[in-house]
Amino acid sequence: RFNYRHVNARVRSWIPDVEDYRRPLTRLPFIPKDDAAMKRVGQELFNALAQGVIGRLWHLSKNGQPVDAFMGLSGGLDSALAFLVSLYAYDQLGWDRKHLYAVRLPGPASSRKTQGNSRKLAKALKTGLKTANITNLATRALRDAGHEPCWQCPQCENAQARARTFILKTLGFNLGTGDMSEAAKGWCTEGGDQSSHWHVIANIPKTLVRYLVRYYIQFMTDDEVTRKTLWNILGTLISPELRKGKEGEPIQSSEE
């Protein structure tokens, strides 16, 4: 069913100077330095990531029939890349994109900008699209636990994250969106991004996430709505959008 590509590698011995441990370090070690390298590395990475998704979907498939998969598309950076990779996998399998569902999960702290971008991206890419507001589910969980929702504390953040995951896994096979930087630092949305049935970009650092979205814009799409929406996502502050700020306050920032 699958074709394999053989790669020849030249391996040379390297004997370090054990007396001197100094060596040059780059601030962005995973990022290619020029456009030619960008095209080559971007293509390699998209193919490699998609092969993981393809293998998992094919295992679930019955005689090659399309599998429905559900991903939380937040309008943020990580979910955008995970969605683009999954879309590429569906295209490689020859399956209708409608079987890949973007699931919008707005809550009390969600912004119009990110929710608008998630809707625009799904419609431009002609995938399936569902919307499930998490507010009622999170509110009930908090009140059952004896906590009145304020949408500004860790308990409220956790309840929203669990509500998102609960809905995604209730729908069916859930493709996850967490990246390697989050997992390595332990900076994860509780029960949210790092909990899924298959992690699409779990071995990709955050700097490379941004880079690969730019690669997709430049080399993998001609659709102007898709390109404009992805540029908008690239320019959006990275936020879990789980803490509702007061009027006039900036939204919650992951990088801060």
Side-chain angles (χ1 to χ4, degrees), residues 42-74:
Q43 185 178 32
E44 288 282 349
L45 285 172
F46 252 90
N47 280 322
L49 293 169
Q51 287 304 316
V53 180
I54 288 170
R56 189 69 182 94
L57 292 173
W58 191 258
H59 178 75
L60 292 171
S61 175
K62 295 181 179 179
N63 300 318
Q65 293 302 306
V67 173
D68 288 342
F70 303 86
M71 178 182 290
L73 191 63
S74 66

Side-chain angles (χ1 to χ4, degrees), residues 18 44 52 74 77 80 86 110 127 145 172 189 230 234:
V18 295
E44 288 282 349
S74 66
L77 199 57
S86 300
S110 298
T127 66
T189 304
L230 289 174
L234 280 169

Side-chain angles (χ1 to χ4, degrees), residues 72-87:
L73 191 63
S74 66
L77 199 57
D78 286 344
S79 65
L81 177 60
F83 197 68
L84 294 172
V85 169
S86 300
L87 183 76

Side-chain angles (χ1 to χ4, degrees), residues 142-157:
L142 287 164
R143 286 177 175 164
D144 286 348
H147 183 84
E148 188 62 26
C150 62
W151 311 123
Q152 293 181 351
C153 67
Q155 290 91 331
C156 291
E157 291 192 40

Side-chain angles (χ1 to χ4, degrees), residues 4 14 23 63 77 99 118 147-148 150 185 188 190 203:
Y4 295 90
W14 176 66
R23 61 191 185 280
N63 300 318
L77 199 57
H99 290 283
S118 63
H147 183 84
E148 188 62 26
C150 62
K185 292 170 66 178
C188 306
E190 194 281 325
N203 59 342

Side-chain angles (χ1 to χ4, degrees), residues 3-201:
N3 294 321
Y4 295 90
R5 179 164 57 92
H6 296 271
V7 178
N8 294 320
R10 185 178 64 180
V11 181
R12 59 188 178 89
S13 61
W14 176 66
I15 303 175
D17 181 356
V18 295
E19 300 298 326
D20 188 352
Y21 291 99
R22 292 176 298 176
R23 61 191 185 280
L25 297 175
T26 175
R27 189 172 67 88
L28 300 172
F30 303 105
I31 307 302
K33 302 299 185 290
D34 54 60
D35 288 344
M38 177 182 182
K39 187 172 183 179
R40 184 183 70 255
V41 172
Q43 185 178 32
E44 288 282 349
L45 285 172
F46 252 90
N47 280 322
L49 293 169
Q51 287 304 316
V53 180
I54 288 170
R56 189 69 182 94
L57 292 173
W58 191 258
H59 178 75
L60 292 171
S61 175
K62 295 181 179 179
N63 300 318
Q65 293 302 306
V67 173
D68 288 342
F70 303 86
M71 178 182 290
L73 191 63
S74 66
L77 199 57
D78 286 344
S79 65
L81 177 60
F83 197 68
L84 294 172
V85 169
S86 300
L87 183 76
Y88 184 68
Y90 270 78
D91 288 346
Q92 294 299 303
L93 285 164
W95 292 352
D96 193 322
R97 292 181 171 187
K98 293 293 183 182
H99 290 283
L100 175 62
Y101 285 87
V103 184
R104 299 169 63 247
L105 298 160
S110 298
S111 68
R112 291 184 179 180
K113 181 178 181 180
T114 55
Q115 289 300 302
N117 282 337
S118 63
R119 184 192 299 109
K120 288 176 185 176
L121 188 61
K123 289 188 173 182
L125 296 172
K126 298 179 173 60
T127 66
L129 178 63
K130 289 181 177 291
T131 301
N133 195 299
I134 65 170
T135 305
N136 289 340
L137 182 58
T139 298
R140 179 174 177 178
L142 287 164
R143 286 177 175 164
D144 286 348
H147 183 84
E148 188 62 26
C150 62
W151 311 123
Q152 293 181 351
C153 67
Q155 290 91 331
C156 291
E157 291 192 40
N158 290 341
Q160 291 174 80
R162 286 198 300 275
R164 288 174 177 172
T165 306
F166 182 87
I167 290 171
L168 287 169
K169 291 186 176 178
T170 300
L171 286 170
F173 181 69
N174 172 215
L175 290 168
T177 62
D179 67 56
M180 185 178 73
S181 297
E182 293 171 343
K185 292 170 66 178
W187 184 256
C188 306
T189 304
E190 194 281 325
D193 299 345
Q194 311 310 110
S195 176
S196 65
H197 294 121
W198 184 262
H199 250 13
V200 179
I201 58 169

